Amino acid sequence: MRLLHTMIRVTDLERAIRFYTDVLGMKLLRRKEYPEGRFTLAFVGYGDESQTAVIELTYNWDTHAYEAGNAFGHIAIGVDDIYAVCERMRLAGGLITREPGPMQHGTTVIAFVRDPDGYSIELIETK
């Protein structure tokens, strides 16, 4: 078994795709509309789905808002130089909600960025 994807619901598919590709540097891997179901799926990631887990962005045509709830935490992405990555993301319009630095009660360097729908993405320095 292996992890294939994580699905999140988005309120504006084009805005979400721009964030995940322009700010986070992912690639749009595939996209398909389902007119009978009134939804569109877009898959984004850093590599081919046959090799890596990806994110499925689900856009329900008739839903304009979601309640995120309090059970979901965040998506985590490993990065080499967290300070440079955060600066690049900021210049691309990303909202850094926790500046890079050591995590509380540890030494791992982390930061957080928020996507347009309010989902948290944790950046973890892996060098």
Side-chain angles (χ1 to χ4, degrees):
M1 287 187 269
R2 73 176 182 89
L3 182 63
L4 298 177
H5 66 260
T6 297
M7 183 275 271
I8 58 175
R9 291 178 174 87
V10 300
T11 56
D12 181 329
L13 185 59
E14 299 310 316
R15 180 182 70 179
I17 290 171
R18 277 192 309 274
F19 173 81
Y20 283 90
T21 58
D22 295 350
V23 176
L24 293 184
M26 294 182 181
K27 294 180 178 107
L28 176 61
L29 303 171
R30 61 188 169 102
R31 174 184 179 147
K32 184 169 182 185
E33 291 190 358
Y34 295 84
E36 291 180 11
R38 300 194 49 77
F39 68 93
T40 304
L41 302 181
F43 291 80
V44 294
Y46 292 110
D48 188 86
E49 292 175 81
S50 67
Q51 302 294 315
T52 65
V54 300
I55 297 174
E56 173 188 331
L57 304 173
T58 298
Y59 173 63
N60 293 297
W61 301 355
D62 302 315
T63 304
H64 305 291
Y66 293 100
E67 291 184 28
N70 61 3
F72 178 78
H74 60 267
I75 297 166
I77 298 173
V79 301
D80 289 332
D81 181 346
I82 199 165
Y83 296 94
V85 167
C86 284
E87 185 56 27
R88 183 185 59 74
M89 287 181 179
R90 191 180 341 272
L91 292 172
L95 174 62
I96 306 297
T97 57
R98 186 213 192 262
E99 292 295 328
M103 62 183 275
Q104 189 176 13
H105 311 296
T107 58
T108 303
V109 178
I110 65 170
F112 279 87
V113 63
R114 189 167 310 272
D115 90 346
D117 286 285
Y119 295 108
S120 289
I121 295 118
E122 180 181 20
L123 307 172
I124 302 172
E125 191 163 68
T126 58
K127 63 176 175 177

